[in-house]
Amino acid sequence: GVLVESLPENYLTVESVLDLLSRHYGVAAPESFTGSLPGALALGIVLHYVLRTQGLKKLPHLRLPRPIRQPGSLRFGSRTFQHLDLFPDLFHFLKRTRSSVGTRQLKRWLQNPLLQVGEIRARQEAVREVATDPALSANLSNLLREVYDIERILGRVNTRLASPRDVSALGKSLQAGATMRVT
């Protein structure tokens, strides 16, 4: 039940894939951003496939992907999370976030713990500030309830698939964000 398409070996050359990525993302050396030549080739092949099958020349809303493992963060082995039971034990905290964007950010933080002491302390201080100020915590919590999934909405806007409901949700989210104050 899986569609398979056979292509000749010389269908895409390394040069043509790197050229496609350079033109699409406007970068001179895409392999330097993906972290490796094989990563750049895989990205280029997928991009070529999507453009060809969708009949498009460009997908302007797509940004150059970043490596999953961020520099400056602790690297875990492939089975570390399974052995530590991080996500099952912490899932109830993920369910308490006020937005899907917050849930994704918390997952990213759990998967890429910081290494730099200064960055760790800054994050701890920010959390402590919100946790120890009930008025600030309640206000922030109420505002975040009004924030819809901006990342997904903007993806639909960029692909011209946004509905009036999406546009309304984006407006409400921006309005809630405008009332938040960063100090």
Side-chain angles (χ1 to χ4, degrees):
V2 176
L3 177 64
V4 176
E5 181 180 1
S6 297
L7 299 171
E9 276 191 41
N10 64 348
Y11 181 71
L12 287 173
T13 65
V14 171
E15 293 78 21
S16 66
V17 170
L18 293 177
D19 182 58
L20 171 66
L21 289 173
S22 294
R23 284 184 285 111
H24 191 271
Y25 291 112
V27 294
E31 65 274 13
S32 65
F33 292 95
T34 58
S36 69
L37 181 59
L41 294 175
L43 175 63
I45 291 167
V46 170
L47 178 63
H48 181 270
Y49 174 79
V50 170
L51 293 173
R52 184 175 59 84
T53 59
Q54 301 303 308
L56 300 170
K57 297 215 184 283
K58 192 165 185 173
L59 296 168
H61 70 286
L62 288 184
R63 292 177 289 177
L64 192 62
R66 294 176 305 202
I68 292 173
R69 298 183 194 267
Q70 296 297 313
S73 68
L74 183 63
R75 291 183 181 229
F76 287 121
S78 59
R79 299 185 51 109
T80 301
F81 286 105
Q82 182 181 1
H83 290 295
L84 293 176
D85 290 329
L86 286 177
F87 281 107
D89 292 340
L90 294 175
F91 186 70
H92 68 281
F93 288 115
L94 295 174
K95 291 186 342 185
R96 292 177 58 194
T97 59
R98 298 294 183 223
S99 67
S100 53
V101 175
T103 300
R104 281 195 299 275
Q105 183 61 45
L106 186 54
K107 281 183 182 178
R108 281 190 286 261
W109 283 355
L110 290 173
Q111 291 171 335
N112 297 293
L114 296 172
L115 286 175
Q116 302 299 318
V117 174
E119 292 176 20
I120 294 169
R121 286 190 177 139
R123 186 179 291 171
Q124 287 175 336
E125 184 56 37
V127 170
R128 184 179 5 265
E129 185 177 338
V130 172
T132 59
D133 186 339
L136 175 62
S137 179
N139 185 35
L140 189 57
S141 181
N142 289 333
L143 286 170
L144 288 173
R145 283 190 183 110
E146 300 298 318
V147 176
Y148 293 83
D149 195 339
I150 295 174
E151 291 177 49
R152 292 208 172 122
I153 293 170
L154 290 177
R156 288 194 290 269
V157 167
N158 281 325
T159 56
R160 298 180 184 198
L161 297 174
S163 67
R165 181 181 290 171
D166 292 328
V167 175
S168 174
L170 179 59
K172 289 177 183 176
S173 298
L174 293 174
Q175 187 175 15
T179 62
M180 291 182 204
R181 190 180 68 172
V182 178
T183 57

